[in-house]
Amino acid sequence: MSRRTDRLDEQFREEIGKLLQKGLKDPRVSSLASITRVTITEDLSYAKILVSVMGTDKEKRDTLVGLNNSAGFIRGVLGKALKIRKIPELNFVLDENLEHAMRIESILAELKQKGEL
């Protein structure tokens, strides 16, 4: 990874995070969504955006659909905010690492409470 793409990853994460805080007009996008990580390819063609959503499975699916449908609008906002010539195609993907970690934490707490740990 180059330093340029590392820097762009972070800038994209911040700018898209700001957009989510302000709220997109798409009602499917949950207000409990947050951007956890962005990975941009070296040639700036594609950006994989990991999104963490707190809520039901339906809310998570709806949020991803809403974000992917709003990708063109978000690309336009990023183009203006970052002033770079080429804005990659955006692909929003559900990041389940937080939920996985919370599940492990609850199992460990349960085992500790039972005295098995």
Side-chain angles (χ1 to χ4, degrees):
M1 286 257 237
S2 72
R3 287 175 28 196
R4 179 179 187 215
T5 55
D6 288 345
R7 188 175 67 245
L8 284 174
D9 291 349
E10 184 59 27
Q11 288 177 328
F12 272 52
R13 191 184 65 74
E14 287 177 15
E15 291 299 324
I16 297 170
K18 287 178 192 175
L19 271 174
L20 289 180
Q21 284 178 347
K22 290 179 188 175
L24 293 173
K25 290 183 181 179
D26 193 324
R28 295 173 292 191
V29 178
S30 171
S31 61
L32 299 175
S34 62
I35 306 301
T36 56
R37 193 170 79 213
V38 176
T39 307
I40 301 174
T41 58
E42 289 290 329
D43 64 354
L44 303 181
S45 296
Y46 299 98
K48 180 178 176 181
I49 300 141
L50 296 175
V51 183
S52 175
V53 182
M54 300 303 285
T56 65
D57 287 341
K58 182 182 180 341
E59 289 173 323
K60 292 174 187 178
R61 280 191 310 269
D62 288 348
T63 296
L64 284 179
V65 169
L67 286 170
N68 282 308
N69 285 344
S70 301
F73 169 76
I74 295 170
R75 284 180 74 193
V77 171
L78 289 172
K80 291 175 187 171
L82 301 177
K83 295 180 177 63
I84 58 175
R85 202 175 305 155
K86 185 176 182 179
I87 301 294
E89 264 186 55
L90 306 178
N91 182 25
F92 292 90
V93 179
L94 187 61
D95 183 3
E96 296 178 341
N97 287 337
L98 180 61
E99 286 181 21
H100 186 69
M102 288 172 48
R103 175 80 175 122
I104 290 171
E105 189 70 33
S106 71
I107 290 170
L108 290 173
E110 189 177 307
L111 289 173
K112 190 173 184 179
Q113 188 178 34
K114 290 179 180 178
E116 296 176 15
L117 187 67

